[in-house]
Amino acid sequence: MNYTDLVRGAAHAPFEGWDFGVFAGRFTEEKPSWDFAELVRARLTDGDALLDLGTDGGEFLSGLTPLPPGTTATESYPPHVPVARRRLAPLGVRVIDTSDEDDDLLPLPDAAFGLVTSRHESYAPAEIARVLRGGGVFLTQQLGGRDLAELNEALGAPGHVYGHWDLATARAGLAGFEILDAREELVPAAFHDIGAVLLFLRITPWQIPDFDAGRYDTRLRALHARLSSGRPLTVRCHRFVITARRPLMS
């Protein structure tokens, strides 16, 4: 396909929830040394109520069945809420629309959950501590501030406004929790065609907040020429994972 067709295709390609199947063979990504799903599954055996923050379309959470009674999920991006409810309601999961909440506040009672998970979702440590029962666990995998920095560089775009976000910063924010596990890695990945780049930027507006295909036309065409010659754009995914326990109440 020529450049114009790829741009048009990326602009109109259907994308629902957070299903990355459309990127198969076009954006390839290695896995970190940990498996976040397995880390969560290992904590589900206690049977405590689970809260999943930023569930997107429920794709990840639905893959963890059977889920404990009282499992709840939040989602702040309005188009994802009905997708998540369709997928998760049959599993007995309540999905709460938090699009109107400020500063990661959670419209949930105190000490209601034994496990809180956050996969690539922002969170307020004080709110995590509030909704967890004493001895409960917070398990999070985050996108770090160096995530796909090479893509921004290739397009001449500014770096992330959250460039400071890394494992050390996140650990410091969880003062008062017992850190059980903390790991951080830069995971290799690659874009193989410009349509994949454009679709990725369409669904991740935080990567380049001022992105517009017209504004970045010159750099996009140069990158298209490179990708079309069989030279993928190699990038690195910045990932870190933390498992933290809330102290038992005195």
Side-chain angles (χ1 to χ4, degrees), residues 30-117:
E30 295 185 20
K31 303 298 182 184
S33 60
W34 63 86
D35 183 329
F36 189 68
E38 290 306 312
L39 294 177
V40 175
R41 283 194 185 96
R43 296 283 172 182
L44 293 178
T45 57
D46 296 335
D48 288 324
L50 164 66
L51 171 62
D52 183 45
L53 303 180
T55 200
D56 294 317
E59 297 86 357
F60 177 77
L61 187 58
S62 64
L64 299 176
T65 53
L67 296 166
T71 295
T72 301
T74 68
E75 178 52 41
S76 62
Y77 184 52
H80 286 175
V81 173
V83 179
R85 285 175 173 163
R86 286 198 303 270
R87 180 175 281 115
L88 296 176
L91 303 178
V93 178
R94 178 173 59 137
V95 177
I96 298 175
D97 182 348
T98 56
S99 58
D100 292 331
E101 301 296 329
D102 295 327
D103 300 323
D104 296 317
L105 297 179
L106 300 172
L108 294 161
D110 296 354
F113 300 95
L115 177 63
V116 176
T117 59

Side-chain angles (χ1 to χ4, degrees), residues 26-241:
R26 305 174 68 195
F27 174 70
T28 53
E29 177 185 354
E30 295 185 20
K31 303 298 182 184
S33 60
W34 63 86
D35 183 329
F36 189 68
E38 290 306 312
L39 294 177
V40 175
R41 283 194 185 96
R43 296 283 172 182
L44 293 178
T45 57
D46 296 335
D48 288 324
L50 164 66
L51 171 62
D52 183 45
L53 303 180
T55 200
D56 294 317
E59 297 86 357
F60 177 77
L61 187 58
S62 64
L64 299 176
T65 53
L67 296 166
T71 295
T72 301
T74 68
E75 178 52 41
S76 62
Y77 184 52
H80 286 175
V81 173
V83 179
R85 285 175 173 163
R86 286 198 303 270
R87 180 175 281 115
L88 296 176
L91 303 178
V93 178
R94 178 173 59 137
V95 177
I96 298 175
D97 182 348
T98 56
S99 58
D100 292 331
E101 301 296 329
D102 295 327
D103 300 323
D104 296 317
L105 297 179
L106 300 172
L108 294 161
D110 296 354
F113 300 95
L115 177 63
V116 176
T117 59
S118 170
R119 183 175 178 267
H120 307 168
E121 178 72 3
S122 63
Y123 61 88
E127 283 292 273
I128 301 300
R130 183 182 66 78
V131 301
L132 271 176
R133 63 165 175 77
V137 170
F138 176 49
L139 182 53
T140 182
Q141 177 176 286
Q142 292 285 306
L143 305 179
R146 289 174 284 169
D147 194 51
L148 306 182
E150 298 83 1
L151 174 58
N152 293 53
E153 292 169 5
L155 296 179
H160 292 303
V161 296
Y162 58 94
H164 67 285
W165 186 233
D166 60 9
L167 178 60
T169 303
R171 286 190 65 151
L174 291 170
F177 283 77
E178 178 190 0
I179 304 299
L180 305 177
D181 182 31
R183 287 174 271 176
E184 183 171 35
E185 295 177 3
L186 291 171
V187 182
F191 287 97
H192 297 272
D193 71 74
I194 202 67
V197 170
L198 288 161
L199 178 56
F200 183 86
L201 291 173
R202 173 187 142 197
I203 64 174
T204 59
W206 57 85
Q207 186 71 33
I208 302 178
D210 72 341
F211 182 76
D212 176 83
R215 180 179 294 115
Y216 285 90
D217 181 73
T218 300
R219 290 292 191 111
L220 285 169
R221 288 180 182 274
L223 182 56
H224 171 60
R226 168 184 169 166
L227 298 176
S228 297
S229 70
R231 293 182 297 138
L233 175 64
T234 301
V235 296
R236 294 180 299 173
C237 302
H238 184 185
R239 301 284 185 271
F240 62 87
V241 66

